[in-house]
Amino acid sequence: MSADPSQVALLRVQDLHVEFKSRRGNAMVLNGVDFEIRGGETLCVVGESGCGKSMTALALLRLIPSPPGRISHGRVLFQGEDLVAATEARMREVRGNRISMIFQEPMTSLNPVFTVGDQIGESLRLHAGLDAGAARKRSIEMLQQVGIPAPERRVDEYPHQLSGGMRQRVMIAMALACRPDILIADEPTTALDVTVQAQIFDLLRELQRDKGTAILFITHDMGAVAEMADRVMVMYAGRVIEQGTTAQVLSQPGHPYTRGLIDCLPELGSSLGAEAGERDDLAEIDGVVPSIWELGSGCAFRERCPHAMPRCATEVPPMFALDVASSPGAPHGAACWLHAEALEEATTP
């Protein structure tokens, strides 16, 4: 956690919209996503499956399948350059080199007809200009760094010869090989045991220390958030519903959904509940994330929210600033009408 709030943003996403066409019409999968990330910083994106986390990552690299999907509005500014408007040739220069991604599914992301060494070495030959021998040597080093035993042998094996956890580590090695400016990690440790997960976290921190790499860490594990994040962005139904520093979001969650995610983790939920004088048994969030066809015109979380009010069914809440004065470099905000009520009560004579 080595971010410097004074740094200029390395990546700035502004009002990003992604829509998909289908026989039922156009569906807005991402709706007005705004965030930024600075060099050396880890921004964790959290939420349940279907909230738009992975779609946001794919949009940043222009990897949304088109058709049926497209970026319909917004900008993705990487060091001031709008990647939404960039040519495909320029995007090939950026992907895997300046911005890398650890994909969630190694079984479908690795090519079954090439050895893992060939697949790691491809980006090194393409972007770093290494010859075959140097690329192979570097590939072996990367396999060793991500904790794969006997890397000199494994480098010549095919994906089907490796376990699920090893394939996941190969994906991580591929993403880190060119030492990118930004690393997008989509559930990077899902298939790994706890000890290997700790090794991967240490490797990511080392990359940040050495190169100042920014990490966009996508997860549903609030424990990983507590360990890795400088800042947290909570997504729900394609929208950003809360942002802030890790301490702000975990200790004083501003959205009922965020509080529900924290309560679902015993270690975090019980400690927060104890501070607030509440019960400390394990909680759960009733219901599921709604389909993009069932969002309606109001707050998407209203059907699952214990604090829902009439306006939640008709109006989408804006992002309300929380505790801005105490953290001007990274204001804490939440998109919930509860804060409008609190503001009205505070200003009513």
Side-chain angles (χ1 to χ4, degrees):
M1 300 187 188
S2 55
D4 181 1
S6 67
Q7 288 183 306
V8 176
L10 187 60
L11 181 76
R12 180 175 286 113
V13 177
Q14 298 176 336
D15 199 24
L16 186 64
H17 290 70
V18 171
E19 66 177 23
F20 274 66
K21 284 187 176 182
S22 75
R23 294 179 180 177
R24 298 178 63 176
N26 290 353
M28 196 64 68
V29 180
L30 296 182
N31 200 331
V33 173
D34 284 287
F35 67 91
E36 63 180 43
I37 183 169
R38 296 176 286 273
E41 178 180 53
T42 299
L43 172 65
C44 276
V45 185
V46 298
E48 297 166 278
S49 297
C51 285
K53 307 185 303 297
S54 295
M55 188 58 62
T56 299
L58 294 175
L60 299 184
L61 288 173
R62 296 250 308 271
L63 291 175
I64 296 170
S66 179
R70 72 185 185 100
I71 297 175
S72 58
H73 185 72
R75 300 199 298 171
V76 177
L77 300 175
F78 171 56
Q79 295 183 325
E81 177 185 6
D82 186 4
L83 297 184
V84 174
T87 65
E88 184 56 33
R90 172 58 179 156
M91 289 306 301
R92 284 195 294 270
E93 294 175 358
V94 171
R95 297 187 196 114
N97 183 27
R98 307 294 302 281
I99 304 177
S100 287
M101 182 168 175
I102 303 169
F103 292 91
Q104 189 172 3
E105 296 293 341
M107 278 297 291
T108 56
S109 300
L110 292 173
N111 193 320
V113 301
F114 290 99
T115 66
V116 297
D118 286 338
Q119 296 184 62
I120 297 171
E122 181 182 11
S123 62
L124 293 167
R125 294 190 298 271
L126 179 63
H127 298 301
L130 301 185
D131 59 28
R136 175 184 169 83
K137 181 179 179 182
R138 176 64 177 157
S139 298
I140 292 172
E141 292 174 357
M142 291 307 304
L143 292 176
Q144 186 174 25
Q145 284 187 27
V146 297
I148 290 183
E152 297 84 359
R153 175 169 57 88
R154 297 293 186 181
V155 74
D156 294 319
E157 293 185 341
Y158 293 86
H160 73 271
Q161 296 175 277
L162 305 179
S163 67
M166 283 189 178
R167 286 192 291 264
Q168 185 70 47
R169 282 179 269 180
V170 170
M171 290 295 303
I172 295 170
M174 289 174 62
L176 298 182
C178 288
R179 302 173 67 82
D181 297 305
I182 299 175
L183 176 66
I184 302 171
D186 190 359
E187 304 278 4
T189 58
T190 298
L192 306 180
D193 59 39
V194 176
T195 55
V196 176
Q197 176 176 284
Q199 293 173 9
I200 297 303
F201 286 171
D202 289 341
L203 182 60
L204 296 180
R205 294 190 191 98
E206 181 181 342
L207 183 69
Q208 284 185 313
R209 286 193 302 268
D210 292 348
K211 196 178 185 298
T213 299
I215 298 177
L216 185 69
F217 194 100
I218 298 171
T219 184
H220 61 267
D221 182 358
M222 297 301 285
V225 171
E227 184 171 352
M228 285 293 295
D230 294 298
R231 290 190 300 116
V232 181
M233 181 172 82
V234 184
M235 294 191 70
Y236 190 81
R239 293 180 182 272
V240 178
I241 60 170
E242 184 162 0
Q243 283 198 66
T245 65
T246 306
Q248 289 169 334
V249 173
L250 295 186
S251 63
Q252 295 181 313
H255 197 285
Y257 178 64
T258 309
R259 177 57 191 262
L261 292 177
I262 294 171
D263 284 346
C264 288
L265 190 69
E267 294 85 355
L268 291 176
S270 61
S271 62
L272 182 58
E275 290 175 6
E278 302 171 359
R279 62 184 177 84
D280 59 4
D281 55 319
L282 187 62
E284 64 179 25
I285 305 175
D286 293 331
V288 295
V289 179
S291 162
I292 54 177
W293 303 105
E294 301 170 355
L295 296 181
S297 57
C299 173
F301 188 62
R302 63 187 181 277
E303 298 295 336
R304 307 173 70 187
C305 181
H307 307 288
M309 57 190 79
R311 72 189 304 179
C312 297
T314 58
E315 301 175 72
V316 176
M319 186 70 70
F320 292 96
L322 313 174
D323 303 323
V324 178
S326 64
S327 54
H332 184 194
C336 181
W337 288 120
L338 289 173
H339 301 295
E341 280 201 340
L343 183 61
E344 291 169 2
E345 291 176 1
T347 56
T348 300

